Amino acid sequence: MKAKTTTRTAKTKVKPLTDKDRLALFRMMVRIREFEEEVQRSYLEGLVHGTTHLCQGQEAVAAGTGFVFRDDDYVGYTYRGHGHCLARGMDEEGAFAELFGRTTGVCGGVGGSMHLTDIDKGLIGAFGIVGGGLPVSVGAGVTAQMNGRGQLSATFFGDGATNIGAFHEAMNIAQVWKLPVLFICENNLYGEFTRINHSTPYEDLIRRAEGYAMNAVQVDGNDVEAVYAATAEAAARARAGEGPSFIECMTYRHRGHSRTDPAKYRDPKEVEAWLARDPLKLYEAALIKRKLLTREKAEAIIAEERARQRAASERAAAAPWPDTDTIDYAALTFA
Amino acid sequence: MKAKTTTRTAKTKVKPLTDKDRLALFRMMVRIREFEEEVQRSYLEGLVHGTTHLCQGQEAVAAGTGFVFRDDDYVGYTYRGHGHCLARGMDEEGAFAELFGRTTGVCGGVGGSMHLTDIDKGLIGAFGIVGGGLPVSVGAGVTAQMNGRGQLSATFFGDGATNIGAFHEAMNIAQVWKLPVLFICENNLYGEFTRINHSTPYEDLIRRAEGYAMNAVQVDGNDVEAVYAATAEAAARARAGEGPSFIECMTYRHRGHSRTDPAKYRDPKEVEAWLARDPLKLYEAALIKRKLLTREKAEAIIAEERARQRAASERAAAAPWPDTDTIDYAALTFA
Amino acid sequence: MQEITYREAILAALQEEMRRDDKILIMGEDIGPSGGPFKTCQGLYEEFGAARVRDTPIAETGFVGAALGLAITGYRPIAEIMFADFLGVCFDQIVNSIAKHRFMSGGKVKAPLVIRAIGGAGLRFAAQHSQTGESWLLSVPGLTIVCPSSPNEAYGMLRAAIRYDNPVVVFEHKALLSTKGPVDIGGPIPPLTGPKMLREGSDATIVASLAMVGRSLEAAELLAKDGIEAEVFDIRSLRPMITGPIVESVKKTNILLTVEEQAQVGGWGAEVAAQVTDAAFDYLDAPPGRVTLPDFPVPYSPPLEDSVIPSPERIAAAVKALV
Amino acid sequence: MQEITYREAILAALQEEMRRDDKILIMGEDIGPSGGPFKTCQGLYEEFGAARVRDTPIAETGFVGAALGLAITGYRPIAEIMFADFLGVCFDQIVNSIAKHRFMSGGKVKAPLVIRAIGGAGLRFAAQHSQTGESWLLSVPGLTIVCPSSPNEAYGMLRAAIRYDNPVVVFEHKALLSTKGPVDIGGPIPPLTGPKMLREGSDATIVASLAMVGRSLEAAELLAKDGIEAEVFDIRSLRPMITGPIVESVKKTNILLTVEEQAQVGGWGAEVAAQVTDAAFDYLDAPPGRVTLPDFPVPYSPPLEDSVIPSPERIAAAVKALV
Ligand SMILES: Cc1ncc(C[n+]2csc(CCOP(=O)(O)OP(=O)(O)O)c2C)c(N)n1
Ligand SMILES: Cc1ncc(C[n+]2csc(CCOP(=O)(O)OP(=O)(O)O)c2C)c(N)n1
Ligand SMILES: [Mg+2]
Ligand SMILES: [Mg+2]
């Protein structure tokens, strides 16, 4: 697809990808895919409770953006945030254990699938209230600005989130204060069961950014290198003090909104077209063309990652449940 | 000033103003001015309690838009809404009595200056929470749409209100549902003591409308005929089922934000420039040029309106206080 | 009487009322062709069309505020809040506009609207999707707040709420959606507010709301095995808080226990306790007891969540500690 | 001890703390060069600059949410809510993000932030600008809620709140802003929470918050003329709700009256009454009394507003009805 942009070129040059980088990007997408597939399997086995929101089909966004962030950047996301967490190095066993509600979970089993947080990795939080995370990321952006060390604050959200007030207030404040915030919109065309055309005046959400005079770019969210490049450019601007950017990644979720949703409200042709543009397959083909990969090599990576997730999930499933008698709720609630 | 616009011409032609209309517009502006001056006087005498927000300098907006509305239209506004109420025929004695907290007030003295409401005149409410009235006006717009009688719903708000979430949600819903809602922004450059450039990425708020792909026009809010024409055009679109419009009226408040504010935060040059463009003086000069008015005739109208407001205020001041023993609070609270 | 689920009862009430009065419309997220995330609106869109069954953008402030605008201009809107937890994002519209608009207008405006909010714990939805929401609005004059505990109440109360001429917040409970019970379809409209006795007893009075009603009834059965007969009330409405029948009961049983699925501080149990203490001071054999959620958010992990939600055993034990 | 106003006390606390720790910053509307609509930030902008004293757009959700983001990444933000009534527009950020973020993270995140909200009736600001806000957040686990009733408390509590490592909501009262009192500038940091006895007495215990504290002390003087000695407590904190000292007092006086500037249903008085009834059941000579606002919004007209706010006379009469 052709990307729209209102980006003015940043002064800082974007680091071009090396072959090693490309393979790392591929592997990260595979990792996220296999993690989510394992979550799905675990859910059906009754290991994951309540609900969970998977991101198969959107891996290029998490992998491509995640490759840009520094260790000291801040990243905020939503209930559909497993990919963003993995891209930033969240321990998979800890992630599975959290989904399974075990003591070894990244949040001790207290948070759950919708609230994976790991502040030590700059993963500032998963917000379950649509739009709720954006103002928080604006605050992390103020921190980044005040620290003066070129940090940035990135925040992920969906197309549906651009309809709620918190989005508006966050965008406006970030622009007025020239904060180093990247607003990364994963436009997967649906908010739950409702297609974007029923909730938004248009489908290209880059137009939202016009209302804030914010630097903006729309990219093919299933093209990991395109995502990387757009993010790197916006990040360079942010780190250089040139303010926030809005990055719209056009993408699609392969599965339903959450685990109980068969997604029957989608046009099969639309689904088919997007499945044909599976970000993993696209990149595999691109890397094979570049001679960085063969089908066999790709399969090997997939098998490795599948085994890795499977092992992590098994370790997690063997971990103990929190002990209702000894858990220190006071310490969980107050520092 | 030159007006910016993204208006596509409506199919319906706008009714041109007659000489009688012009004199009525002038008189209405004078009425609002004199009403507010009388409020001010009364405040200093201790008749108005708490706080009050005056609109001197912004009369052309209330008068010019008000002239467009039909009796069955719905109009919502803010704490700075006295002018909108008068333009729609709110009884002045009832308005003063409300400000004075008397039983004869339009809300029985229970609402006060910030909450003048007269549902029988389509004055659906004055909202004290910034942005709070916009979603309510969207609802009245749904009513207008469902009724199918070409009604519209107009909502007035300030520049500062465009920064809050409720504005965003209201604009978006109105556009997606193609509601007959007129969003009328009185851009007086300040939200309380803060100039627009500290709270918004630009000063021309018509740009906000781009984020919603909404029909929009910016007009000189001190030119009552320009306000009328832009509103009439947007109203024709709305009544014809062509959806909402955003109308930005560039204007200025002559006084401080509220009665305790001397407005020292404004550049005297800015104040001077805007005082020179007093909407009443501008229109008086225009009508004199058109030979519809003379200085003397204008003075006579001003004197008449002054006397009228004075008389209304005096009657209001003579009205009884609510009786704390007999007031039926239950009936005030529940239908 | 038909045996239907709580979910079907909600739907039946919506359907019936919308058929009766074409000024009624409903707005919410995914309630159109999809029938609602909890399927409480299944088929409404097909029957009443897009104008009366409005899928909204994710914009609770926008559409809840719009409900007020509709109500004061002649319609009778219903707004569905998918999870009661989301009441936070439209709280201002409810507490500052909806609850007060009539009052501020000097009683001249009428605002017949219903906000349905589906809340509650027990389904492992974690801290941001498991609150009943009851306490948040408890203190707001101008609101009527009801909380159906069974299919029949869900059906009856919703019909009553829709016909009421003032704003009503209906707290539904997601753990009850699939529970079945007899519903008096087409029967008379029940009173919107006021408690209802569900079980007679002479030894203790238990007052509960929503999912805690069923658990309290179970607790009463456990107690009966030990010879303690508990009288169980469904509080039904939180605003107005009507305790007359509860006071009468306590005059007989001399023991009061409230059970709610919320933290103790700020919960309605304190109000019931205070009103009963006031009106039946000399009859109380013990200070009123309160069973509530602990004072922290709802945890995700199943054993943790299960341990914080009052169980029949815990309720029974609390009664025993009082008698 | 210096005699300064409540307003000056707030400012002094902000100034002192911001000088001590450059991680502290403040955000709010018109708090920059204008010094705040209630002038509680006068001079901060000049002293600490635009980066640490941030004038915000009218976007409470935006900047209150930003406070959380700052807090969990190493700063200690303060957010000023101009009128407590506006807490409605940022309610979600407070109840679903700020109050829970540490808990949901498994206790790994620290959120040291302060929300100051200026509320209260008596100045003819009408229904949307006269609420104290106390009840709205009363039920929210994870929050610490304090409400200073005097210049010294405003100064001390704000300093304590700023130094506390968890989210604190400070409810200030606009009718107190110009009241003067002795303040221990530079003195030790007082406890953030817990009630404080302000007047000793043996005949009745009165517990009040914010502007009701002064009125309760006046009521005590009226009562003293009739030979009734009331012990008066400032509740100080609503979360945690600490009633130990009040219970001790009631064991002595056998009478409890709570006084709050909010509606009865959902108010903190019920919780104090319930806790005291629980802990001092056998000591109570009468059911606890509660003086509150009536169950409708605050009316504008001066005689109406004056008649709804509890007066010393009404408080004294309520005590007399109990003893
Ligand atoms: C304020 C609020 N309203 C509604 C919901 C229920 N809800 C959860 S996810 C969702 C759809 C969000 O869509 P989008 O922002 O596009 O993100 P996606 O799920 O596609 O990643 C909705 C409506 C919510 N969590 N918060
Ligand atoms: C949600 C909210 N935040 C803050 C305020 C306080 N406040 C009242 S008026 C105002 C300024 C509004 O400015 P603008 O929208 O430009 O309207 P104007 O007063 O200029 O007519 C502010 C901040 C409020 N009433 N509501
Ligand atoms: Mg989406
Ligand atoms: Mg303005």
Side-chain angles (χ1 to χ4, degrees):
Chain A
M1 62 175 288
K2 210 180 125 0
K4 287 170 197 150
T5 173
T6 59
T7 306
R8 293 165 296 272
T9 311
K11 280 149 205 153
T12 321
K13 258 258 178 297
V14 166
K15 183 172 82 67
L17 291 167
T18 64
D19 290 348
K20 207 175 131 222
D21 293 340
R22 293 194 161 93
L23 285 169
L25 278 173
F26 179 70
R27 181 177 287 274
M28 182 54 75
M29 287 203 288
V30 173
R31 175 166 303 166
I32 296 169
R33 170 72 50 94
E34 294 303 326
F35 180 89
E36 295 292 59
E37 293 291 334
E38 179 63 25
V39 172
Q40 190 148 333
R41 209 192 51 76
S42 312
Y43 187 93
L44 296 176
E45 276 189 22
L47 284 163
V48 179
H49 316 281
T51 188
T52 188
H53 307 76
L54 304 176
C55 72
Q56 291 103 321
Q58 306 184 198
E59 296 91 344
V61 180
T65 56
F67 209 72
V68 172
F69 304 143
R70 292 188 343 203
D71 280 354
D72 61 348
D73 288 340
Y74 303 112
V75 177
Y77 37 94
T78 73
Y79 48 88
R80 201 182 304 287
H82 304 166
H84 309 303
C85 290
L86 294 190
R88 229 175 142 59
M90 180 179 277
D91 172 61
E92 289 118 304
E93 183 183 336
F96 279 118
E98 189 59 35
L99 270 65
F100 299 171
R102 309 305 170 97
T103 42
T104 50
V106 286
C107 310
V110 171
S113 166
M114 284 202 262
H115 304 296
L116 295 180
T117 296
D118 189 351
I119 195 78
D120 296 333
K121 292 205 150 57
L123 290 163
I124 66 169
F127 296 84
I129 309 294
V130 167
L134 277 69
V136 182
S137 287
V138 164
V142 177
T143 291
Q145 184 181 65
M146 307 247 309
N147 284 347
R149 299 194 295 262
Q151 292 164 284
L152 62 76
S153 170
T155 190
F156 293 89
F157 52 93
D159 44 291
T162 71
N163 300 315
I164 201 160
F167 163 81
H168 177 69
E169 299 189 14
M171 291 281 287
N172 190 60
I173 293 176
Q175 181 69 15
V176 172
W177 290 357
K178 272 190 160 294
L179 298 177
V181 178
L182 306 193
F183 292 90
I184 305 174
C185 179
E186 298 188 64
N187 186 351
N188 61 12
L189 300 176
Y190 289 82
E192 294 209 341
F193 322 142
T194 300
R195 203 174 180 288
I196 186 169
N197 50 303
H198 296 293
S199 62
T200 306
Y202 38 71
E203 299 192 13
D204 293 317
L205 292 174
I206 188 176
R207 295 184 64 179
R208 287 277 193 234
E210 293 174 27
Y212 312 94
M214 192 183 289
N215 179 56
V217 57
Q218 185 190 58
V219 291
D220 179 351
N222 284 12
D223 175 345
V224 68
E225 292 198 11
V227 171
Y228 167 77
T231 309
E233 169 109 16
R237 287 176 51 88
R239 299 193 201 287
E242 292 171 43
S245 292
F246 180 85
I247 303 173
E248 181 186 13
C249 302
M250 305 305 289
T251 185
Y252 205 74
R253 56 169 153 76
H254 289 177
R255 310 274 174 174
H257 167 69
S258 63
R259 282 300 302 119
T260 48
D261 168 26
K264 288 197 187 131
Y265 43 82
R266 305 196 296 196
D267 181 345
K269 282 201 199 106
E270 184 184 271
V271 177
E272 205 180 294
W274 279 97
L275 283 178
R277 299 198 67 258
D278 181 330
L280 273 69
K281 293 202 189 119
L282 289 183
Y283 204 45
E284 182 184 313
L287 295 192
I288 289 174
K289 208 165 154 200
R290 267 186 190 268
K291 309 250 187 283
L292 289 176
L293 210 57
T294 61
R295 185 76 264 278
E296 296 64 41
K297 182 85 194 298
E299 270 307 336
I301 292 173
I302 292 168
E304 262 172 55
E305 287 299 328
R306 184 168 300 160
R308 178 182 160 117
Q309 302 315 319
R310 192 59 203 258
S313 152
E314 275 168 6
R315 286 195 307 275
W321 296 101
D323 181 348
T324 54
D325 293 331
T326 59
I327 185 167
D328 185 353
Y329 281 118
L332 285 175
T333 316
F334 296 107
Chain B
M1 61 176 290
K2 215 181 122 358
K4 287 169 199 155
T5 175
T6 59
T7 307
R8 293 166 295 274
T9 310
K11 281 149 206 155
T12 322
K13 258 256 174 302
V14 166
K15 183 172 82 69
L17 291 168
T18 65
D19 290 348
K20 207 176 131 221
D21 292 342
R22 293 195 161 92
L23 286 170
L25 279 173
F26 180 69
R27 182 177 286 274
M28 183 54 76
M29 288 204 287
V30 172
R31 177 166 301 165
I32 296 169
R33 170 73 51 94
E34 293 304 326
F35 180 90
E36 294 291 60
E37 292 291 333
E38 181 62 26
V39 172
Q40 189 148 336
R41 207 193 52 78
S42 312
Y43 188 94
L44 296 175
E45 275 188 21
L47 285 163
V48 180
H49 317 282
T51 187
T52 189
H53 306 76
L54 305 174
C55 72
Q56 291 105 320
Q58 305 184 199
E59 296 90 345
V61 179
T65 57
F67 210 70
V68 173
F69 304 143
R70 292 188 343 203
D71 280 354
D72 61 349
D73 287 339
Y74 304 112
V75 177
Y77 37 94
T78 72
Y79 49 88
R80 201 183 304 287
H82 304 167
H84 309 301
C85 290
L86 294 189
R88 234 178 135 59
M90 180 177 278
D91 172 60
E92 289 118 303
E93 184 182 335
F96 279 118
E98 189 59 37
L99 271 64
F100 300 172
R102 307 306 169 95
T103 43
T104 52
V106 287
C107 309
V110 170
S113 165
M114 283 201 263
H115 304 297
L116 295 180
T117 296
D118 190 351
I119 194 79
D120 297 333
K121 293 207 150 58
L123 290 162
I124 65 168
F127 295 83
I129 308 294
V130 166
L134 277 71
V136 182
S137 287
V138 164
V142 177
T143 290
Q145 184 181 65
M146 308 247 309
N147 285 346
R149 298 194 297 261
Q151 292 165 283
L152 63 76
S153 170
T155 190
F156 293 89
F157 52 91
D159 43 290
T162 70
N163 300 315
I164 201 160
F167 163 82
H168 177 70
E169 299 189 13
M171 291 281 287
N172 190 61
I173 293 177
Q175 181 69 17
V176 172
W177 289 356
K178 269 188 161 298
L179 298 177
V181 178
L182 307 192
F183 291 90
I184 306 174
C185 179
E186 299 190 64
N187 185 350
N188 62 13
L189 301 177
Y190 290 82
E192 293 209 341
F193 322 142
T194 299
R195 205 173 176 290
I196 186 170
N197 51 300
H198 297 291
S199 61
T200 307
Y202 38 71
E203 299 193 11
D204 293 317
L205 292 175
I206 189 175
R207 295 184 66 177
R208 287 278 194 233
E210 293 174 27
Y212 312 94
M214 192 182 289
N215 178 54
V217 56
Q218 184 190 60
V219 292
D220 179 351
N222 285 13
D223 175 346
V224 70
E225 293 199 9
V227 170
Y228 166 78
T231 309
E233 169 110 17
R237 288 177 51 89
R239 299 193 201 287
E242 294 172 43
S245 292
F246 180 83
I247 303 173
E248 181 186 15
C249 302
M250 305 304 290
T251 186
Y252 205 72
R253 58 169 152 74
H254 288 175
R255 309 276 174 174
H257 166 71
S258 64
R259 280 303 299 123
T260 48
D261 168 27
K264 291 201 186 124
Y265 44 81
R266 306 198 292 197
D267 181 344
K269 282 200 199 105
E270 183 183 90
V271 178
E272 205 178 295
W274 278 97
L275 283 177
R277 300 197 65 258
D278 181 330
L280 274 70
K281 292 203 190 121
L282 289 183
Y283 203 45
E284 183 185 312
L287 295 191
I288 289 175
K289 209 166 153 197
R290 267 185 189 270
K291 308 256 189 280
L292 289 176
L293 210 57
T294 60
R295 187 73 264 280
E296 295 66 39
K297 183 86 194 300
E299 270 306 335
I301 292 172
I302 292 168
E304 263 171 56
E305 288 298 329
R306 183 168 301 160
R308 179 183 159 114
Q309 302 315 320
R310 192 58 202 258
S313 151
E314 276 169 4
R315 286 196 306 276
W321 296 101
D323 182 347
T324 54
D325 293 331
T326 60
I327 185 166
D328 185 354
Y329 281 118
L332 285 174
T333 315
F334 297 105
Chain C
M1 290 282 198
Q2 261 177 265
E3 279 274 328
I4 59 174
T5 63
Y6 189 92
R7 171 187 286 110
E8 289 161 344
I10 294 168
L11 180 57
L14 293 172
Q15 225 161 22
E16 194 177 309
E17 292 301 307
M18 290 183 76
R19 282 177 192 158
R20 186 185 54 80
D21 182 352
D22 64 11
K23 291 292 187 194
I24 299 168
L25 54 88
I26 183 160
M27 300 181 284
E29 289 151 17
D30 306 299
I31 64 153
S34 316
F38 291 110
K39 303 289 170 213
T40 56
C41 299
Q42 196 84 56
L44 297 181
Y45 179 86
E46 288 70 19
E47 178 169 356
F48 303 106
R52 290 181 63 202
V53 182
R54 289 184 180 246
D55 256 346
T56 66
I58 307 172
E60 284 82 359
T61 286
F63 73 81
V64 168
L68 178 61
L70 275 152
I72 63 177
T73 56
Y75 284 79
R76 303 184 80 87
I78 302 164
E80 173 174 303
I81 302 292
M82 194 186 295
F83 285 77
D85 314 70
F86 309 161
L87 287 168
V89 296
C90 52
F91 197 77
D92 171 65
Q93 285 294 329
I94 301 174
V95 302
N96 283 321
S97 297
I98 289 173
K100 292 177 186 154
H101 204 52
R102 176 178 172 85
F103 182 84
M104 296 191 299
S105 78
K108 293 191 190 134
V109 156
K110 206 172 77 174
L113 66 91
V114 174
I115 299 171
R116 294 178 40 235
I118 308 165
L123 301 182
R124 290 72 172 100
F125 274 91
Q128 292 189 330
H129 291 75
S130 297
Q131 301 158 101
T132 64
E134 296 160 273
S135 294
W136 287 352
L137 294 168
L138 189 61
S139 66
V140 183
L143 292 183
T144 297
I145 306 178
V146 300
C147 36
S149 65
S150 69
N152 201 39
E153 290 290 2
Y155 174 72
M157 273 184 182
L158 185 49
R159 286 197 304 155
I162 293 171
R163 292 177 189 216
Y164 192 52
D165 276 343
N166 297 290
V168 183
V169 179
V170 184
F171 284 110
E172 298 161 357
H173 198 294
K174 64 170 101 58
L176 297 177
L177 284 169
S178 300
T179 60
K180 276 202 167 186
V183 173
D184 187 12
I185 295 284
I189 306 288
L192 176 61
T193 59
K196 188 166 169 182
M197 195 211 290
L198 297 180
R199 183 186 197 283
E200 260 195 83
S202 51
D203 301 328
T205 303
I206 307 179
V207 184
S209 67
L210 290 166
M212 296 302 105
V213 172
R215 292 181 176 225
S216 296
L217 287 168
E218 284 181 55
E221 294 311 313
L222 294 177
L223 289 164
K225 288 188 194 144
D226 293 333
I228 299 169
E229 290 300 332
E231 191 144 295
V232 179
F233 280 86
D234 178 355
I235 185 81
R236 290 183 80 251
S237 68
L238 305 180
R239 275 202 157 261
M241 174 66 80
I242 300 170
T243 51
I246 297 165
V247 167
E248 289 316 306
S249 171
V250 171
K251 284 185 179 169
K252 179 176 69 178
T253 65
N254 314 118
I255 290 293
L256 172 68
L257 184 81
T258 58
V259 188
E260 61 187 313
E261 194 186 307
Q262 311 183 104
Q264 178 191 299
V265 174
W268 56 258
E271 182 63 33
V272 171
Q275 287 194 19
V276 169
T277 303
D278 192 48
F281 189 60
D282 294 332
Y283 295 86
L284 281 169
D285 281 352
R290 289 181 282 161
V291 172
T292 68
L293 291 187
D295 208 36
F296 46 79
V298 176
Y300 163 71
S301 183
L304 298 182
E305 184 177 38
D306 288 341
S307 74
V308 302
I309 304 175
S311 63
E313 291 72 23
R314 215 174 107 204
I315 299 167
V319 170
K320 282 192 191 164
L322 292 173
V323 293
Chain D
M1 291 282 199
Q2 258 176 267
E3 279 275 327
I4 60 173
T5 63
Y6 189 93
R7 171 186 285 110
E8 289 162 344
I10 293 167
L11 179 57
L14 293 173
Q15 223 161 25
E16 195 178 309
E17 292 300 308
M18 290 183 76
R19 280 177 194 158
R20 186 184 54 77
D21 181 353
D22 63 12
K23 291 291 184 193
I24 300 168
L25 54 88
I26 182 160
M27 300 182 284
E29 290 152 15
D30 307 299
I31 63 154
S34 313
F38 291 112
K39 304 289 171 213
T40 55
C41 300
Q42 196 83 58
L44 297 182
Y45 181 86
E46 289 71 17
E47 179 168 357
F48 303 106
R52 290 181 63 201
V53 183
R54 290 184 180 245
D55 255 345
T56 66
I58 307 172
E60 284 82 359
T61 286
F63 73 80
V64 167
L68 178 60
L70 275 151
I72 62 178
T73 55
Y75 283 79
R76 304 184 79 89
I78 302 164
E80 173 174 302
I81 303 292
M82 196 187 294
F83 284 78
D85 314 69
F86 308 160
L87 287 168
V89 297
C90 52
F91 197 76
D92 170 65
Q93 285 294 329
I94 300 174
V95 302
N96 282 321
S97 298
I98 288 172
K100 292 177 186 152
H101 203 53
R102 176 179 173 84
F103 181 84
M104 296 191 301
S105 78
K108 293 195 191 132
V109 155
K110 205 173 78 173
L113 65 91
V114 175
I115 299 171
R116 294 180 37 236
I118 307 164
L123 301 183
R124 288 74 172 98
F125 274 91
Q128 291 188 331
H129 291 76
S130 297
Q131 300 157 103
T132 64
E134 294 159 273
S135 294
W136 287 351
L137 294 169
L138 189 60
S139 66
V140 183
L143 292 183
T144 298
I145 306 178
V146 300
C147 35
S149 66
S150 68
N152 200 40
E153 290 290 2
Y155 174 72
M157 275 184 181
L158 185 49
R159 286 197 302 157
I162 293 171
R163 292 177 189 216
Y164 192 52
D165 275 342
N166 297 290
V168 183
V169 179
V170 183
F171 284 111
E172 298 162 355
H173 198 295
K174 63 172 105 55
L176 296 177
L177 285 169
S178 299
T179 59
K180 276 202 165 185
V183 173
D184 188 12
I185 296 284
I189 306 287
L192 176 59
T193 60
K196 187 165 170 184
M197 195 212 289
L198 297 180
R199 184 187 194 283
E200 259 195 83
S202 50
D203 302 327
T205 303
I206 307 179
V207 184
S209 67
L210 290 167
M212 296 302 104
V213 172
R215 290 179 179 226
S216 296
L217 288 168
E218 283 180 57
E221 294 311 313
L222 295 176
L223 288 164
K225 287 188 194 144
D226 292 333
I228 299 169
E229 291 300 332
E231 192 144 294
V232 179
F233 280 86
D234 178 353
I235 186 80
R236 291 184 79 250
S237 68
L238 305 180
R239 273 200 161 264
M241 174 68 79
I242 300 170
T243 51
I246 297 166
V247 167
E248 289 316 306
S249 171
V250 172
K251 284 186 179 168
K252 177 176 69 176
T253 65
N254 314 116
I255 291 293
L256 172 67
L257 183 82
T258 58
V259 188
E260 61 187 313
E261 194 187 306
Q262 311 184 105
Q264 180 192 296
V265 175
W268 56 258
E271 182 63 32
V272 171
Q275 288 196 16
V276 169
T277 303
D278 192 49
F281 189 59
D282 294 332
Y283 294 88
L284 281 170
D285 281 352
R290 288 181 285 162
V291 172
T292 69
L293 290 187
D295 207 36
F296 45 79
V298 176
Y300 164 71
S301 182
L304 298 182
E305 183 176 38
D306 288 342
S307 75
V308 302
I309 304 174
S311 63
E313 291 72 23
R314 217 174 107 206
I315 298 167
V319 170
K320 280 189 191 166
L322 294 173
V323 292

